[in-house]
Amino acid sequence: MIGIEKYTLKDGQTGWQVSFSATKPKLQATEANPIGTVHTRRFSFARYGEEAFQKALEWFENSYYQSAEIKIKSPEAGGFKG
């Protein structure tokens, strides 16, 4: 799951929030044993100005591809039996 949404906090701060979930393949998640991790980060207009949305996209791309690279290199992801 991937999400990019505009947010507003109670104190009036606004910006973009990015979320994505990384799950382990071939495993069943249950309520008692959720599989995967949700990564979330906020990029405020106060800090990043008009570039907040672009910074949010860059963070997502870097995080997503880094997670995919780790999965590819891990023995269980590639079916390695050694």
Side-chain angles (χ1 to χ4, degrees):
M1 181 187 85
I2 301 166
I4 298 178
E5 61 186 357
K6 207 172 202 179
Y7 73 88
T8 302
L9 300 178
K10 289 181 181 179
D11 65 1
Q13 186 183 81
T14 59
W16 291 95
Q17 177 173 299
V18 184
S19 302
F20 75 94
S21 61
T23 59
K24 293 181 181 178
K26 298 182 183 177
L27 296 175
Q28 256 335 68
T30 64
E31 196 171 318
N33 186 22
I35 296 170
T37 306
V38 175
H39 304 274
T40 303
R41 179 139 181 227
R42 288 183 174 154
F43 295 85
S44 71
F45 290 127
R47 181 169 182 185
Y48 297 102
E50 294 297 319
E51 294 182 11
F53 185 77
Q54 184 62 37
K55 293 289 185 182
L57 286 176
E58 288 172 6
W59 177 82
F60 164 72
E61 288 175 347
N62 291 336
S63 299
Y64 180 80
Y65 290 118
Q66 185 179 30
S67 294
E69 190 174 306
I70 290 169
K71 285 181 186 177
I72 290 169
K73 289 181 181 179
S74 69
E76 65 247 8
F80 178 73
K81 310 238 187 230

